[in-house]
Amino acid sequence: MKVAAIQMVSEISVDRNLAQAHRLLDQAAAAGAELAVLPEYFCFMGRSDRDKLLLAETPGLGTVQDFLSDTARELGLWIVGGTLPMATDDPEHAANACMVYDPKGKVAARYDKIHLFRYDNGRERYDEATVLVAGEQPTAFTLKDRSGKDWRVGLSVCYDLRFPELYRQLAADILVVPSAFTYTTGQAHWEVLLRARAIENQAFVIASAQGGLHENGRHTWGQTLVVDPWGAILGQHAVGAGLVVCELDLARLQSVRQQLPALQHRRL
């Protein structure tokens, strides 16, 4: 199955971001991809964290959800819609939600980011909990490709990458990680963590990133990757908007798990 990992440098304008996302998704479909993964906050990178609250959508109603549904149906793609802010019962906090749409434009899964990023090195400071509420439920879905093979796809977002216990629970064939890693933390840990999650879970990893200098001044690391179950990088896009298209071989995954049955050897 061909997959596409999409990298963006999202702006403040939702309309411009959706137009950019559509161009990249169209390229993915033209290249033969069946599954495309957008980065975290593909639709919006605001001037302040509180800007997310102004755009928070309700389930089944909103510009970004309509875009994802319509585009999935138009292009015949499975789309993992990065993340978008979704309204909660608390007007001061939104959920950072990853919405998945099937090729008919129907919602196949929703995952709310469980682990909320906090970082302060004296120069950069981030605290997602000020405007976001943490999700609670690990989420995976089954994708049937055009040849009729079933793939279990596990959902995670950005900072989740540092919590391996989540990926053990997902027990998936493909792990997706839409992200907006900071330049500082990405340079240090992005690739090694992605390859580790692939190796220890003997799964493919699709990590779609924000990558560049944003209109709001934020600098994201980029380096969108697709990794195979042995930890080999199948494709990579360094900086700026673009995409990586790779072919995932289910027989390769099964071979790795058979030759080194580490998942069967777990004792704790």
Side-chain angles (χ1 to χ4, degrees):
M1 176 176 63
K2 279 190 177 180
V3 301
I6 291 174
Q7 183 161 297
M8 295 177 61
V9 187
S10 294
E11 307 175 34
I12 293 169
S13 166
V14 173
D15 289 343
R16 287 200 298 268
N17 292 328
L18 297 186
Q20 180 185 173
H22 191 279
R23 287 194 299 272
L24 294 165
L25 289 165
D26 190 46
Q27 291 176 35
E34 298 182 49
L35 167 67
V37 181
L38 290 162
E40 184 179 28
Y41 294 126
F42 80 98
C43 57
F44 179 69
M45 292 281 274
R47 295 190 187 279
S48 74
D49 284 343
R50 289 191 60 81
D51 289 348
K52 298 181 183 72
L53 302 176
L54 302 175
L55 293 178
E57 299 186 355
T58 56
L61 183 65
T63 299
V64 179
Q65 292 170 86
D66 287 347
F67 165 80
L68 291 169
S69 175
D70 292 346
T71 306
R73 184 170 54 253
E74 172 197 347
L75 300 177
L77 274 175
W78 285 87
I79 296 178
V80 175
T83 68
L84 68 151
M86 295 285 278
T88 69
D89 293 337
D90 176 3
E92 295 298 310
H93 290 81
N96 192 10
C98 178
M99 302 293 297
V100 180
Y101 292 81
D102 70 16
K104 295 182 179 179
K106 295 181 179 179
V107 176
R110 171 182 168 175
Y111 165 68
D112 292 354
K113 183 179 182 180
I114 290 175
H115 301 98
L116 301 183
F117 182 53
R118 187 171 65 193
Y119 178 73
D120 188 349
N121 66 359
R123 300 179 304 278
E124 301 170 85
R125 183 178 183 278
Y126 302 92
D127 187 358
E128 291 186 321
T130 59
V131 295
L132 295 178
V133 61
E136 297 181 352
Q137 185 62 46
T139 303
F141 67 97
T142 299
L143 180 161
K144 186 179 290 292
D145 68 21
R146 291 171 190 155
S147 68
K149 298 187 183 73
D150 287 337
W151 301 76
R152 180 173 167 86
V153 182
L155 301 176
S156 65
V157 175
C158 201
Y159 190 49
D160 284 334
L161 185 58
R162 296 181 183 273
F163 301 88
E165 62 272 19
L166 170 63
Y167 298 88
R168 280 293 196 232
Q169 287 197 41
L170 291 172
D173 304 315
I174 301 171
L175 301 166
V176 297
V177 195
S179 300
F181 255 59
T182 70
Y183 191 91
T184 303
T185 58
Q187 185 177 40
H189 302 143
W190 172 251
E191 182 180 317
V192 68
L193 286 172
L194 289 168
R195 296 179 71 190
R197 296 297 86 86
I199 293 165
E200 69 198 9
N201 293 288
Q202 298 183 321
F204 290 100
V205 171
I206 305 172
S208 296
Q210 295 280 353
L213 186 60
H214 298 263
E215 185 182 4
N216 64 5
R218 184 170 173 181
H219 195 186
T220 49
W221 176 239
Q223 303 296 336
T224 286
L225 296 175
V226 179
V227 188
D228 88 349
W230 197 246
I233 295 174
L234 300 179
Q236 184 170 2
H237 181 84
V239 180
L243 69 163
V244 176
V245 177
C246 297
E247 188 160 344
L248 308 190
D249 184 352
L250 192 58
R252 166 66 171 161
L253 180 143
Q254 292 167 343
S255 174
V256 167
R257 291 179 173 179
Q258 182 178 26
Q259 292 175 27
L260 181 63
L263 296 175
Q264 299 176 33
H265 294 161
R266 294 171 57 206
R267 297 187 62 192
L268 300 179

